[in-house]
Amino acid sequence: MIAPLTLTALITVAFSDPPVSTAVAEKTTITVRADEPGKPISRDLFGIFFEDINDAADGGLYAELVQNRSFEYSPKTRRGWRTLTAWEFVERDGGKGTITVEQEAPIHVNNPHYAMLTIQSDGDRVGLRNEGFGGIAVKAGEEYTVSLFSRQLDGAAGPIKVRLEKRDGGLLAEAELEKPSGEWKRSAAALRPTAACDDARLVVLATSPGRLALDMVSLFPRATFHNRPNGLRADLATTIAELKPRFVRFPGGCLVHGDGLDNMYRWKDTVGPVERRRGQRNLWGYDQTVGLGFFEFFQFCEDIGARPLPVLPSGVCCQFRRTRPDGTRTAGQLGVPESEMPAQVQDVLDLIEFANGPVGTPWGAMRAAAGHPAPFNLQYLAIGNEEQITPVFEQRFRMIHDAVKRRHPEITLIGTAGPGPGGKDFDAGWKLADALRLPIIDEHYYEKPEWFLGHLGRYDKYDRNRSKVYLGEYAAHERNRRSTLRSALAEAAYMTSLERNGDLVRMASYAPLLGKIGHTQWNPNLIYFTNTAIRPTINYYVQQLFGRNVGDVYLANTVDTDEWATGLTASSVRESRTGHIILKLVNNGDSARPLHIELAGVKSLGPSATATVLTGDPKAVNSPDGSTRIEPRNATIPVAASFDYELPAHALAVIRVESR
Ligand code: AHR
């Protein structure tokens, strides 16, 4: 590689619009300095960022199949929504009754609404039908757990019937729940559909006259990811796990600071029995149940071998958009009143206790009661997300920072550097990081592919004595916000620069992670999905190839050409655990690149290497219906201490060489 410092100005010019389009036919030699000790790099470099945006949680990763299970949807969140959204009152075969939504004596104050069926005529045909999140998808012969809370107010209680039906009413599965009593009580049964159906309904029927209260009507597949109760959708969670992320940042993004002081993310509302959690209006325009709450996030991290990286609010709301309590919109940052800040600081300390504290502590006991007595080994904690760095912000951030530093010096705190790659809040965020000697600061940028190719030297120039960097959100945005191969390769090229700077850049995560097709507030996303299908983007495979091929030592390399200016980008790492050398080669040009690769100092090699290649038409996208798809392909290639390799046009190739 040519010294990046001297190349920066040239690169910026060379890669400004239009993109690279060079025809280079001569062989380029890349020499990997395997004879030098190399530079240790972060072991946590590539991870993921989960935010509940685009229906990523309810109707997405969270495996609950009933929509609005606790009758808490509100028109304040979305015009047309109401407490009975996704529900239909049913009277069948002459059954007669009414339905109301009540608030008196709910299961818990955090879950104030419930449905009340008043059944007038005898029979078993009065009840409720739920449409799920655009239909309930069930598989033949699989087990589903249906559960609900009920309370009989008047009349003799009869058993409650639960049915899975096709949209036209055809029966798929049926069970009977025990009779309700005069107190709120949970009952559950197993349902096993006789046929597969993508558009099923869950029907709950009362069987005797009187008044019957129902709440928390729920349907889960038994086979969730790792078979966790209240768990995650297995296919989606597996697709995420296959990225091999080293960390998971959660639960947002802008979701964390909210669009007003009333809907900041309060982690304590998201733990404990699900019927006691406080769902709330999500800044992305829908109600969230928080059934996927902090316990489930920590457990997911553990299940996939990733470090948890929770983000907590810094005590201010979003500066860009604010929803007033009456539902009208405005803008401008607001701070949590000073009198409430001690409680907010305590929330942060309590989260550390929830994650790591002994079971004898109040929050450690809460974790144990949820089924996890062992600590979750929390190491990283981020405070804030893209906030405007005002005196109001700074005062609150410092209060949290000082308390965590004093009480938990073992925790690595992460600050925020605004929403862009530079500018006022970026500079002010860094200034504050300098003043506090923050270990890590979180940068975000969504830019054109050309921007990424033009800034390959960004981190080469950073002062190593300042805070380390977490690139918490980034993505290359085409003008039409489509996830093209071109955008994926711009990210791949940039990721080679993150590896090269892996001593400084401790972590990086693409954003956002999930987008439910037809329900997106933001594009592009890394993984698209429907109720039944998963559609990874080409960019997903770039993340996967880097995630599966991280090293812990960066090996310097030299390229005998103006590599970046000709659309070629390379990085080389060693995976000490196996001794493998891993090369990542990115060609953003229109022509194949004949390469000669020298592995300097390598004494013994395996007979061959694997080359995993992602290539195709730069304008291609992985289509939402799955009909067109670009995926990596594996090949075995012969290797020696020096070997030739032809890198296709518009390609990322990951070459893994067994060496000693
Ligand atoms: O990733 C989507 C949003 O982009 C995040 O919530 C926010 O942090 C950023 O502006």
Side-chain angles (χ1 to χ4, degrees), residues 73-145:
Y73 274 20
S74 161
K76 282 192 189 156
T77 304
R78 189 176 284 187
R79 194 173 302 139
W81 271 14
R82 56 198 182 101
T83 46
L84 284 173
T85 290
W87 291 99
E88 191 189 326
F89 178 56
V90 295
E91 293 173 306
R92 291 178 180 174
D93 299 339
K96 279 276 164 252
T98 54
I99 182 164
T100 51
V101 174
E102 308 284 343
Q103 295 193 67
E104 200 186 321
I107 301 176
H108 192 269
V109 63
N110 283 345
N111 180 6
H113 297 94
Y114 57 89
M116 175 78 83
L117 293 173
T118 304
I119 302 108
Q120 283 131 20
S121 65
D122 284 4
D124 58 0
R125 300 289 176 220
V126 176
L128 275 170
R129 176 171 126 125
N130 188 273
E131 66 182 30
F133 296 89
I136 295 175
V138 292
K139 293 183 187 144
E142 296 254 321
E143 189 175 313
Y144 294 82
T145 306

Side-chain angles (χ1 to χ4, degrees), residues 462-533:
Y462 270 45
D463 179 349
R464 267 49 187 171
N465 295 314
R466 297 176 79 188
S467 302
K468 304 290 183 224
V469 172
Y470 168 35
L471 177 50
E473 296 181 25
Y474 70 98
H477 282 184
E478 293 279 16
R479 254 177 219 107
N480 54 16
R481 297 252 188 153
R482 284 159 68 83
S483 308
T484 58
L485 175 65
R486 196 177 87 98
S487 70
L489 292 179
E491 289 155 9
Y494 201 70
M495 288 169 84
T496 66
S497 84
L498 301 180
E499 281 195 336
R500 187 175 64 252
N501 287 283
D503 57 323
L504 167 95
V505 180
R506 295 285 296 274
M507 294 179 282
S509 43
Y510 180 100
L513 181 66
L514 296 179
K516 188 167 190 177
I517 295 172
H519 299 262
T520 54
Q521 295 86 44
W522 183 288
N523 285 296
N525 302 289
L526 199 62
I527 303 167
Y528 286 88
F529 65 94
T530 65
N531 285 345
T532 51

Side-chain angles (χ1 to χ4, degrees), residues 49 51 53 253-254 284 385-386 444 446 473 511-512 522:
F49 162 46
E51 175 163 25
I53 182 173
C254 291
W284 297 110
N385 173 73
E386 296 189 353
H444 295 178
Y446 300 93
E473 296 181 25
W522 183 288

Side-chain angles (χ1 to χ4, degrees), residues 600-642:
V602 166
K603 299 205 175 51
S604 123
L605 282 170
S608 57
T610 53
T612 311
V613 183
L614 191 66
T615 187
D617 175 351
K619 292 199 275 312
V621 295
N622 284 354
S623 60
D625 63 3
S627 56
T628 56
R629 221 165 153 179
I630 290 188
E631 286 176 334
R633 303 221 179 283
N634 283 326
T636 302
I637 56 167
V639 280
S642 77

